[in-house]
């Protein structure tokens, strides 16, 4: 009996060929040879100065407003802890949203309120209603190629969201690790750009543009908050991983950031195409899905009769996995949905995995 190889649409990580291993090896050696003593010691809690400055320049801010952290999720932990310290316990999120922040917020005792979304992203009317119902410590949003849905907030809605932010003095965390991983179309302005970076805090990472194992993420904050979070960083780990940050800087300094990004986008774009084609070919009527122009994920909505948790059990047996939609909601929802990641598997595996799903779906949906 030959064991069936499992095809994972669950893993939201880059395929191994996306990682620029050889280039990073060269950068690591150069950094250690040239700046070894500095990068192997303790240093500034806010991170490696040359990289901070480059990021600050890209976002048009003073480098004192950039906090480099060990992955952007660590920045989320610092920021959420700080904003919940003296704000109301209410935190607004998209429904669905990235599951790890939901767990972190639950751990911090936050009252997490999911807001409605559709194909154009977060619905501003839903946000307006939530703000009318009471104050919130902050809104957590992933406006571009959202995890888990792959959806992107339209420019018109971005403007409305910023308007509401100003009217209600709302704080917003714009989490944008996927924005540069764009296969086609023009990028919309970020909320940070539209608002000016006063109420909107921007978060990103080199996890999707270079490699997640480097653990280099960052926040762009108002100056006061940057200083507060720097203190939190210092009490947590003294110094972030300077060596990784110096390797990222060396990669950038050598002019490898843009060409590598283009290479990654070509590899991931081919996977996105393979998944869209396979879904079209193999899925029964009644199923629908998002069509992202970038990022790692798309969102599958099965017909109402399909219980995605049960489908996942059957799919796992049939050799294909995904993350069920319900995992991305704090209080129910997504029972008929699934997050499909096309980032990790090859185009051939995508075709085969979607075919396996397509065989299960008709039986999973009672007519
Ligand atoms: C929306 C979002 N934010 C943050 C992260 C975490 O990124 P990092 O590796 O920088 O901690 C991820 C990773 O999947 C993500 O999807």
């Amino acid at each position: 009996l030959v064991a069936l190889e499992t095809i994972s649409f669950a893993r939201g990580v880059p395929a191994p060929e996306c990682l620029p291993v050889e280039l990073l090896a060269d950068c690591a050696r150069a950094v250690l040879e040239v700046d070894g003593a500095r990068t192997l010691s303790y240093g500034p809690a806010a991170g490696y100065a040359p990289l901070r400055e480059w990021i600050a320049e890209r976002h048009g801010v003073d480098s004192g407003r950039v906090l480099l952290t060990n992955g952007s999720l660590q920045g989320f932990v610092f920021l959420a802890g700080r904003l919940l310290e003296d704000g109301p316990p209410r935190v607004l999120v998209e429904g669905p949203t990235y599951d790890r922040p939901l767990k972190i917020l639950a751990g911090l005792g936050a009252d997490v309120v999911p807001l409605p979304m559709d194909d154009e992203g977060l619905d501003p009317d839903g946000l307006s209603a939530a703000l009318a119902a009471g104050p919130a410590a902050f809104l957590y949003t992933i406006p571009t190629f959202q995890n888990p849905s792959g959806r992107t907030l339209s420019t018109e809605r971005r403007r409305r969201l910023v308007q509401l932010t100003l009217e209600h003095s709302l704080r917003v965390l714009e989490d944008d690790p996927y924005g540069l991983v764009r296969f086609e179309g023009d990028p919309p302005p970020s909320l940070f750009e539209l608002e000016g970076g006063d109420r909107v805090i921007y978060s990103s990472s080199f996890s999707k543009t270079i490699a997640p194992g480097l653990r280099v993420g960052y926040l762009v904050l108002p100056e006061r908050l940057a200083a507060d979070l720097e203190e939190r960083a210092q009490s947590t780990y003294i110094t972030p991983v300077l060596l990784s940050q110096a390797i990222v800087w060396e990669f950038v300094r050598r002019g490898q950031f843009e060409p590598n990004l283009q290479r990654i986008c070509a590899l991931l774009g081919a996977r996105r195409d393979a998944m869209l084609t396979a879904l079209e070919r193999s899925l029964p009527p009644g199923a629908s899905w998002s069509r992202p122009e970038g990022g790692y994920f798309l969102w599958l909505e099965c017909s109402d009769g399909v219980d995605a948790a049960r489908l996942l059990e059957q799919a796992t047996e049939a050799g294909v996995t995904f993350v069920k939609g319900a995992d991305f909601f704090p209080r129910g929802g997504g029972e008929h949905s699934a997050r499909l990641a096309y980032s990790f598997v090859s185009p051939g595996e995508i075709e085969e995995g979607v075919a396996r799903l397509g065989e299960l779906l008709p039986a999973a949906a009672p007519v």
Side-chain angles (χ1 to χ4, degrees), residues 286-288 299-309 311 322-326 329 333-339 361 364:
S288 60
W299 189 246
L300 173 65
E301 303 261 14
C302 304
S303 52
D304 282 354
V306 175
D307 172 357
L311 179 68
F322 54 81
V323 183
K324 61 186 194 309
F329 288 84
E335 287 82 4
H336 315 299
S337 317
R339 185 190 78 175
L361 266 174

Side-chain angles (χ1 to χ4, degrees), residues 35-207:
D35 208 10
R38 188 152 63 123
T39 52
L40 291 174
S41 189
Y42 293 115
Y48 189 68
L51 185 62
R52 271 180 100 189
E53 275 154 29
W54 181 69
I55 292 167
E57 206 170 291
R58 277 171 80 86
H59 292 286
V61 300
D62 187 87
S63 64
R65 295 180 56 186
V66 176
L67 183 75
L68 290 169
T69 50
N70 295 333
S72 63
L73 199 65
Q74 177 70 71
F76 180 89
V77 173
F78 293 149
L79 181 69
R82 174 68 189 84
L83 296 180
L84 284 164
E85 200 171 60
D86 48 26
R90 222 160 145 249
V91 176
L92 308 178
V93 302
E94 289 152 344
T97 192
Y98 180 32
D99 51 345
R100 289 188 200 278
L102 287 178
K103 291 188 185 118
I104 293 164
L105 290 169
L108 289 167
D111 170 21
V112 182
V113 180
L115 304 177
M117 282 184 100
D118 59 25
D119 275 348
E120 272 185 73
L122 178 66
D123 176 3
D125 291 336
L127 172 61
S128 177
L131 290 170
F138 68 105
L139 162 70
Y140 173 62
T141 174
I142 310 157
T144 308
F145 311 141
Q146 197 225 22
N147 181 2
S149 71
R151 292 165 178 153
T152 293
L153 190 67
S154 65
T155 299
E156 196 190 316
R157 285 194 182 182
R158 285 172 193 245
R159 293 191 195 285
R160 269 212 61 204
L161 197 151
V162 166
Q163 205 179 358
L164 286 167
T165 299
L166 299 175
E167 278 168 24
H168 293 265
S169 300
L170 176 68
R171 267 206 195 285
V172 176
L173 172 57
E174 175 176 31
D175 190 9
D176 188 28
Y178 301 102
L180 292 176
V181 187
R182 174 175 280 280
F183 320 139
E184 65 192 20
D186 296 322
S190 67
L191 300 172
F192 179 87
E193 286 162 352
L194 288 174
E195 190 270 339
D198 191 18
R199 313 266 349 145
V200 177
I201 293 156
Y202 185 85
S203 170
S204 191
S205 167
F206 295 94
S207 289

Side-chain angles (χ1 to χ4, degrees), residues 208-223:
K208 321 294 161 175
T209 54
I210 304 181
L214 290 164
R215 308 309 298 129
V216 182
Y218 68 91
L219 288 169
V220 185
L221 303 137
E223 223 148 289

